[in-house]
Amino acid sequence: MLPYGRQTIHEDDIAAVVAALRSDFLTQGPLIEEFEQRFAEKVGAKYAVAVNSATAALHLAMRVAGIGPGDRVVTSPITFLASANAAAYVGATPDFADIDPVSCTLDPVSLEKNWKPDTRAVVAVDYAGQACDLPEISRIARARGAIVIGDACHGVGGAFHTASTPGKTWKLGGNPWADITTFSFHPVKTMTTGEGGMLVTDRKDWADHARILRSHGIVRDPASFTALDAADPLAEKGPWFYEMQELGYNYRLTDLQCALGLSQLKRLDDFIARRREVVAAYNRAFADLSWLRTPTTRFPADADSSSWHLYTAQIDFAALGKTRVEVMTSLRAAGVGSQVLYIPVHLQPWYRRTYGYAPGKCPLAEKFYQRALSLPLYPTLSNADVAHVIQAVRSQGAAS
Ligand SMILES: Cc1ncc(COP(=O)(O)O)c(C=O)c1O
């Protein structure tokens, strides 16, 4: 069975993790800082903070930006739950604007039209690896005193173009429009640490704060300790001493995971190059199918700069004369896995119950959901695998 996504693990990765296992540190050792530095360089950001998931990175982004009760955070409904849940974790109200039908990312026009005065942040999700319209989203947000949190979980290693800077590429994570960017290293993403995530920003104060929050809110720098009366039981401050000055979490990534991350990072460009080849092959092979829309990009050049985490085709199942379940079942029988990414988050029962969201709130996202089907896309797909997927998909039409 060819799954819709999977990790690519080489002998080098295994050797790197084994070496870490033989070292003095399984966690909290030197590989964390090394991974953070290499990653920051790779994406062009000043600071990187490694955490044990992108969900944790999104949560910390909310915390360091001071988002909380009474604030609204807007995101795209076509995303994984975590993009919106992070706002709820800090007591803010997650809200949604619609997608633009070309890139299937947050539509700035819908964002601006639905803007509410209590909106303090936009979580800009780079669906499938394609950057959302960051310059426009940031213009709208900043003019209203809000910040942009990039959810580049699909976009590790990806870059994009803008209308105002023709010929130039900007990196996800290293651009002037997102105030903080978060990345995921879950196995189906473009590189992996097992579970894992990264928060990047150019703001030192936010990076420092995120580091404190990822480890229980603990402070070890004597210069930051609370001044106490000499008679206080905690007045003696030796080498063991630390203070918890605010409520934090255990969001630490381990050295074992950072060893894997450092090793994967070296091959990230190769991984993405192969993803682009597979996407180009699918696009060519499906171009003539009237019932299938291949993924489109905002700028043609984005097809060659996107990290292509997902290949999501939009299928007109009515025109095809088959339900999505029938197509998925038939593909599975041919050894081809597929997945529906994503169920619009605002329509999840918890969101309907908690915030009163209902069908019709984001019509284009809801229509996209009806048609979406993600096909196998990962670097180790061979040309024969790709040909097999193409044949299995095309034959859906032939059989109808
Ligand atoms: C768009 C998006 N945001 C956030 C997340 C959360 O990432 P993680 O699984 O690393 O917590 C994911 C993971 O699937 C995602 O796809």
Side-chain angles (χ1 to χ4, degrees):
M1 170 71 78
L2 304 171
Y4 85 91
R6 64 162 289 141
Q7 69 276 15
T8 303
I9 300 293
H10 287 193
E11 287 305 317
D12 285 358
D13 299 317
I14 294 166
V17 175
V18 169
L21 273 169
R22 293 204 168 103
S23 79
D24 290 339
F25 297 96
L26 296 190
T27 186
Q28 301 291 82
L31 296 182
I32 297 169
E33 204 177 318
E34 194 182 332
F35 184 38
E36 290 176 339
Q37 279 176 6
R38 291 286 93 75
F39 193 84
E41 283 160 21
K42 181 75 187 165
V43 304
K46 279 197 184 143
Y47 308 102
V49 182
V51 285
N52 54 18
S53 71
T55 304
L58 284 159
H59 186 189
L60 292 187
M62 298 289 161
R63 285 286 312 266
V64 301
I67 310 294
D71 297 335
R72 185 176 302 271
V73 176
V74 181
T75 189
S76 162
I78 299 301
T79 187
F80 184 61
L81 305 165
S83 318
N85 287 355
Y89 293 162
V90 295
T93 301
D95 204 345
F96 302 88
D98 215 341
I99 59 168
D100 106 67
V102 174
S103 68
C104 304
T105 62
L106 190 64
D107 179 12
V109 176
S110 173
L111 177 70
E112 194 159 31
K113 204 172 94 196
N114 294 294
W115 194 273
K116 298 200 176 70
D118 57 353
T119 304
R120 290 273 319 283
V122 179
V123 175
V125 181
D126 306 309
Y127 177 74
Q130 185 179 174
C132 47
D133 190 347
L134 282 170
E136 202 39 24
I137 289 171
S138 140
R139 181 193 66 73
I140 294 163
R142 287 182 183 162
R144 293 159 176 83
I147 63 153
V148 177
I149 298 173
D151 178 338
C153 288
H154 296 189
V156 184
F160 60 100
H161 300 80
T162 79
S164 60
T165 58
K168 183 168 167 52
T169 46
W170 298 90
K171 290 181 178 179
L172 287 171
N175 65 74
W177 302 290
D179 299 286
I180 303 178
T181 305
T182 55
F183 296 92
S184 173
F185 306 129
H186 179 276
V188 294
K189 302 300 195 298
T190 54
M191 59 169 271
T192 190
T193 58
E195 296 279 358
M198 194 74 84
L199 176 158
V200 309
T201 178
D202 284 352
R203 277 189 60 164
K204 184 172 184 315
D205 56 337
W206 283 355
D208 289 346
H209 194 186
R211 281 200 180 88
I212 290 169
L213 290 173
R214 96 176 146 187
S215 198
H216 303 280
I218 286 174
V219 172
R220 292 183 188 276
D221 176 9
S224 310
F225 289 161
T226 314
L228 293 173
D229 190 273
D232 190 285
L234 298 193
E236 188 191 15
K237 294 187 172 60
W240 69 87
F241 198 76
Y242 59 85
E243 282 188 352
M244 178 188 142
Q245 297 184 343
E246 61 186 318
L247 188 61
Y249 319 91
N250 179 352
Y251 281 169
R252 297 187 300 261
L253 196 64
T254 65
D255 270 49
L256 302 182
Q257 292 168 297
C258 290
L260 179 55
L262 279 162
S263 178
Q264 290 260 301
L265 198 53
K266 289 184 195 149
R267 294 200 315 285
L268 178 60
D269 292 343
D270 295 342
F271 292 161
I272 293 175
R274 178 59 184 159
R275 284 175 177 275
R276 288 181 191 145
E277 281 173 10
V278 175
V279 168
Y282 284 164
N283 283 348
R284 277 193 304 273
F286 300 145
D288 63 327
L289 299 179
S290 59
W291 45 270
L292 185 152
R293 202 190 105 179
T294 57
T296 45
T297 55
R298 189 175 302 106
F299 301 102
D302 278 349
D304 299 320
S305 61
S306 167
S307 58
W308 287 113
H309 162 51
L310 298 175
Y311 187 91
T312 303
Q314 289 181 65
I315 297 180
D316 183 342
F317 292 98
L320 183 61
K322 287 179 178 174
T323 67
R324 182 158 50 188
V325 172
E326 284 167 348
V327 170
M328 290 178 81
T329 306
S330 147
L331 288 175
R332 196 178 310 121
V336 174
S338 59
Q339 186 54 282
V340 178
L341 301 158
Y342 291 94
I343 301 166
V345 178
H346 65 289
L347 297 183
Q348 292 289 353
W350 188 81
Y351 277 86
R352 295 189 197 214
R353 196 166 69 235
T354 309
Y355 305 105
Y357 299 145
K361 180 175 169 63
C362 297
L364 293 176
E366 292 163 28
K367 183 174 171 205
F368 171 83
Y369 167 63
Q370 301 293 330
R371 298 183 166 209
L373 196 65
S374 301
L375 301 173
L377 180 59
Y378 46 92
T380 52
L381 280 175
S382 67
N383 288 346
D385 293 334
V386 172
H388 181 67
V389 174
I390 289 169
Q391 193 277 331
V393 171
R394 289 188 65 88
S395 72
Q396 299 303 311
S400 65

